[in-house]
Amino acid sequence: MSLGDPAIQGFLATKEVALLATVGADGAPLAMPMWFLHDTAALSMISVEGTQKVRNLRRDPRVCVVAEAGGGGGDIRGVTVLGRAEFLADGPGRRALIERFHEKYPRLASLWGGRAMPANRVMFRIAPERVKSWGLAS
């Protein structure tokens, strides 16, 4: 299964938040809700430099991302992506992703005080090594 699977792409397009799990220095997981972008090759996320999740990623880039829907005994659907995070330097590719973040999350400009990504933010892409899904139409 790949991130480019149409059922996975369609499901992720309906989600605003996914859970990002990183590995702490003591080996314990840290799971945090995150805004994200997806394409057929990777997931992209933005965070504040110096937060625990960013410190975890700089030390150990392994991550697990989970997006799910349903519950209460209903139709549970979701996607899990295991992979590695890579921090993106400023450049045309990152600026294009920033514009996509603004399209998906209109509140971002007011949170940032403009459209430019603040200097204390970092962006990272997660290249999938393994993708699983459940409950999605094929």
Side-chain angles (χ1 to χ4, degrees), residues 37-115:
L37 296 176
H38 69 283
D39 58 41
T40 59
L43 302 174
S44 300
M45 296 179 175
I46 296 172
S47 189
V48 176
E49 182 65 81
T51 59
Q52 186 62 56
K53 66 181 160 283
V54 171
R55 290 194 312 267
N56 288 351
L57 291 173
R58 290 201 183 282
R59 191 192 64 265
D60 185 340
R62 293 177 299 161
V63 300
C64 178
V65 178
V66 179
E68 59 83 30
D75 182 28
I76 299 173
R77 309 174 308 287
V79 174
T80 299
V81 176
L82 292 172
R84 294 184 179 272
E86 175 186 340
F87 288 90
L88 300 178
D90 190 22
R94 189 174 89 170
R95 287 192 292 273
L97 287 168
I98 290 168
E99 285 308 308
R100 286 187 55 209
F101 268 102
H102 281 290
E103 290 169 19
K104 184 172 180 180
Y105 302 102
R107 287 188 30 213
L108 199 53
S110 64
L111 292 172
W112 285 358
R115 294 188 69 79

